[in-house]
């Protein structure tokens, strides 16, 4: 087994195709297939199911993929160290958040002399979880609905991760300026008021919608999400100039500048929880802990 085999294997798993992987690796399909077969022989297990169209990881392949990601990512880190000296990289994935963006700018400026380097990726809850699990990122910041907490924590634990809550906020409905609810004067809206309303959200799985504890609970599949975007600019423009609305947290999603003030959404005791995902039982790097402490301090000021 060698590093090249692991690198080829990871790209194949991510592309789902030997031919697509060959394009990424600037190689040929037969060559990529041969390298992966050599890795399978070395490990004594089948890593991929060969399908009529593409490939799919086997159960054993999924386990190997996690270790391979960790190894190849560490190699990338070593290469960065070799080319930039002892540069410290902090890899973060997160659900889109203008609040976080504002805090990150301040954190970057405050730690500028430490010469930290950052990789930030916005993604849905599941993707953030996967990226941390596979050691692509050091930490992931997510929002979940409290009604989903039990199911979410089960998924987190199953992936040998842990979720640490940092803040709790109300669920808020932001009506688009062209909607009837915009000038309704309501101090609170109920779920039934959302009938017929179209929504713009960051991701389909926002707040980790994997099934509710109660049938009457809020579920994304029950509403009409007509626009998905991770762009705050598009979100802001659409809320100002169209008939789409948004559901977010009252404080942590301060990306509605200049739009109609949010209206609390009556969801019983349900709240939006903000927190971070890391590997369970593993020591958090000092630089990552520094970022966490900075965010906690900012949240306590609010």
């Amino acid at each position: 087994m060698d590093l090249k085999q692991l690198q080829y294997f990871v790209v194949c798993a991510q592309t789902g195709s030997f031919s697509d992987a060959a394009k990424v690796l600037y190689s040929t399909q037969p060559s990529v297939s041969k390298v992966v077969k050599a890795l399978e022989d070395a490990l004594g297990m089948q890593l991929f199911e060969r399908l009529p169209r593409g490939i799919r990881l086997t159960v054993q392949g999924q386990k190997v993929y996690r270790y391979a990601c960790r190894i190849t990512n560490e190699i990338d880190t070593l290469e960065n160290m070799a080319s930039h000296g002892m540069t410290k990289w902090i890899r973060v994935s997160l659900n889109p958040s203008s609040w976080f963006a504002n805090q990150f700018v301040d954190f970057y400026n405050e730690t500028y002399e430490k010469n930290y380097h950052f990789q930030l990726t916005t993604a849905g809850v599941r993707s953030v979880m996967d990226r941390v699990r596979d050691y692509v990122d050091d930490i992931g910041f997510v929002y979940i609905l409290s009604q989903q907490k039990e199911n979410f924590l089960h998924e987190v634990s199953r992936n040998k991760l842990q979720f640490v809550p940092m803040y709790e906020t109300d669920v808020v409905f932001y009506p688009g300026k062209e909607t009837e609810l915009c000038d309704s004067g309501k101090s609170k809206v109920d779920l039934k008021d959302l009938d017929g309303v179209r929504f713009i959200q960051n991701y389909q799985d926002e707040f980790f919608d994997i099934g509710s504890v109660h049938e009457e609970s809020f579920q994304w599949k029950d509403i009409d999400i007509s626009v998905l975007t991770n762009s705050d600019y598009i979100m802001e423009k659409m809320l100002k100039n169209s008939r789409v609305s948004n559901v977010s947290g009252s404080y942590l999603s301060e990306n509605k500048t200049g739009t109609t003030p949010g209206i609390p959404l009556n969801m019983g005791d349900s709240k939006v929880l903000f927190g971070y995902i890391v590997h369970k039982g593993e020591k958090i790097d000092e630089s990552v802990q520094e970022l966490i402490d900075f965010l906690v301090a900012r949240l306590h000021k609010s």
Side-chain angles (χ1 to χ4, degrees), residues 123-189:
V125 175
R126 289 183 183 275
S127 295
V128 170
M129 188 185 306
D130 290 346
R131 291 177 66 88
V132 175
R133 180 198 65 197
D134 296 337
Y135 292 91
V136 176
D137 294 314
D138 303 305
I139 188 171
F141 294 93
V142 297
Y143 306 93
I144 63 167
L145 287 176
S146 57
Q147 70 184 32
Q148 300 289 348
K149 184 178 180 180
E150 183 179 346
N151 291 332
F152 173 71
L153 291 179
H154 173 74
E155 284 289 303
V156 167
S157 177
R158 192 171 67 86
N159 284 283
K160 296 181 173 57
L161 303 169
Q162 65 174 338
F163 172 70
V164 180
M166 299 173 69
Y167 194 83
E168 182 180 281
T169 179
D170 293 327
V171 185
V172 172
F173 170 74
Y174 290 90
K177 284 201 170 181
E178 300 297 323
T179 64
E180 294 180 1
L181 287 169
C182 180
D183 298 316
S184 65
K186 287 179 174 286
S187 59
K188 182 171 289 190
V189 293

Side-chain angles (χ1 to χ4, degrees), residues 59-79:
V59 174
Q60 295 94 334
Q62 292 174 6
K63 294 179 181 178
V64 173
Y65 174 71
R66 296 178 188 178
Y67 287 107
C69 283
R70 183 173 186 176
I71 293 169
T72 55
N73 286 326
E74 292 300 334
I75 291 297
D76 290 341
T77 300
L78 288 173
E79 290 177 345

